Amino acid sequence: MSYIEKNLLEVNKKIDEAARASNRKTDEIKLIAVTKTYGADLINEAIDCGVTDIGENRVQEIMEKYDKVNPVRWHLIGHLQKNKVKYIIDKVELIHSVDSVELAVEIDKKAKKIDKIQKILLEVNVSGEESKFGIEPTNCIDVCREISLLENVKIMGLMTVAPFTDDEELLLGVFSGLKGLAEKISQENIKNVSMEELSMGMTNDFPLAIEKGATMVRVGTGIFGKRDYTK
Ligand SMILES: *Cc1c(COP(=O)(O)O)cnc(C)c1O
């Protein structure tokens, strides 16, 4: 058994355990294998082992790998610049990292051109760290209302990146903060806005995110091992 296969078994087991522990169904939680810095060969190996969804955080990497990777759903999970939307609009299942109305307007425009309704998540800076992208929680409802008027994008839920820490209380606070925000937005009953997806949790913290309601976990290191950014 390859290490990728072994790691995937381990990650899926943890997802299953975390789901059971909080009385949730395992199939409510989708594993997004984060493939940034890894080449097409390793990605294809993961796909052979059952991975159906992969996450990349740079447009450039998606473009370099797209033709070499076997059929799979692509997720953009990193910061997206408006002038790069055109390169990925025909390639991605879900954009997790929409952090402004202006970006959503650009996505709408490019999606319209290819007759697509692009599913998106709003990235929220729940922790308030200055280094992080994302909408301020207090602005989220207004942003949802504005984006909801666009015909070729559909908000499916929220995403956050938690601080890199092993402080469990802090992490649980961030994850329940995102969940609470999604519930609040749901109650507004905004047309064309769904809050069914919560993308939160990475290698370091995904069991805690599942405990607080994650429907998508983004796991890289836990599957592929430590990344080498020098390549
Ligand atoms: C890299 C990355 C991940 C995965 O991180 P790991 O700690 O390797 O699991 C998840 N989400 C985003 C936005 C990332 O950039």
Side-chain angles (χ1 to χ4, degrees), residues 34 36 56-57 77-78 123 159-161 164 201-204 218-222 225 227 229:
V34 176
K36 64 184 179 210
E56 286 282 349
N57 69 340
I77 60 174
E123 179 169 0
M159 176 271 218
T160 200
V161 180
F164 189 75
M202 314 189 349
T203 298
N204 188 41
R218 309 179 307 266
V219 180
T221 316
R227 283 180 291 273
Y229 286 100

Side-chain angles (χ1 to χ4, degrees), residues 6 8-9 16 23 33 57 62 69-70 83 95 104 108 128 164 173 177 181 183 187 194 214:
K6 225 185 282 173
L8 270 169
L9 278 174
D16 192 45
N23 283 316
N57 69 340
I62 295 181
V69 168
N70 294 334
N83 62 357
I95 302 173
D108 180 64
F164 189 75
L181 190 57
E183 281 168 352
Q187 285 162 10
S194 159

Side-chain angles (χ1 to χ4, degrees), residues 11 15 29-36 53-57 75-78 94-97 121-124 132 158-163 174-175 178 197-207 209-210 214-224 227:
V11 168
I15 290 174
I29 298 138
K30 178 164 280 166
L31 173 63
I32 315 286
V34 176
T35 48
K36 64 184 179 210
D53 292 77
I54 63 173
E56 286 282 349
N57 69 340
H75 297 247
L76 183 71
I77 60 174
L94 180 66
I95 302 173
H96 292 228
S97 44
L121 304 178
L122 297 185
E123 179 169 0
V124 187
K132 286 225 156 52
L158 305 178
M159 176 271 218
T160 200
V161 180
V174 167
F175 297 140
L178 195 71
E197 302 292 357
L198 280 183
S199 168
M200 56 187 193
M202 314 189 349
T203 298
N204 188 41
D205 54 23
F206 71 86
I210 290 170
T215 65
M216 294 179 169
V217 292
R218 309 179 307 266
V219 180
T221 316
I223 297 169
F224 296 100
R227 283 180 291 273

